[in-house]
Amino acid sequence: MDNEEQRIEIAEEADIAHAIFEAHFLSKSIGFSNIDQFMIATAVSELARNIFLHAGSGVITLRPLERAGEQGIEVVAEDGGPGINDINQALGEGYSTKGTLGLGLPGAKRLTDEFVFDEKRLLGTQIVVRKWL
């Protein structure tokens, strides 16, 4: 694989587009189909937008994965914002604290194979999603 970890700072709206572009590029270089590239880029879009809307700034980290000969991609979304009080409520379709459609986290979860929320984190939010070939 000719790809490396990418770390994208999210501090302004344009950074969301940058994260989407990098996710598409990395997923393509790993060998994901066009449909899976779109799904990964959409999940990154939702996670980056949540960082921007709810925390103001944070980081999206994209990294290639390999396990038992299987390739994939990992997306880590981290911020120092107020955190998520009730992840189950936040994962409910239509739940929003910012007047949006409330599809961001449920969509990111649905579009990926693994969704991990760090419930023990004391400050901010960390969400890790993974998609496998």
Side-chain angles (χ1 to χ4, degrees), residues 4-10 19 22-23 26 44 47-48 51 58-64 73-78 126-129:
E4 298 178 12
E5 179 176 297
Q6 296 289 320
R7 183 177 161 89
I8 302 106
E9 299 283 336
I10 306 296
E22 293 296 341
L26 180 58
V44 167
L47 294 170
I51 288 172
V59 176
I60 295 283
T61 304
L62 308 167
R63 62 177 63 99
I73 188 170
E74 179 177 79
V75 179
V76 180
E78 297 177 282
Q126 182 187 62
I127 295 173
V128 179
V129 297

Side-chain angles (χ1 to χ4, degrees), residues 2-23:
D2 183 29
N3 39 46
E4 298 178 12
E5 179 176 297
Q6 296 289 320
R7 183 177 161 89
I8 302 106
E9 299 283 336
I10 306 296
E12 54 189 59
E13 204 161 9
D15 298 331
I16 299 168
H18 182 217
I20 294 166
F21 174 82
E22 293 296 341

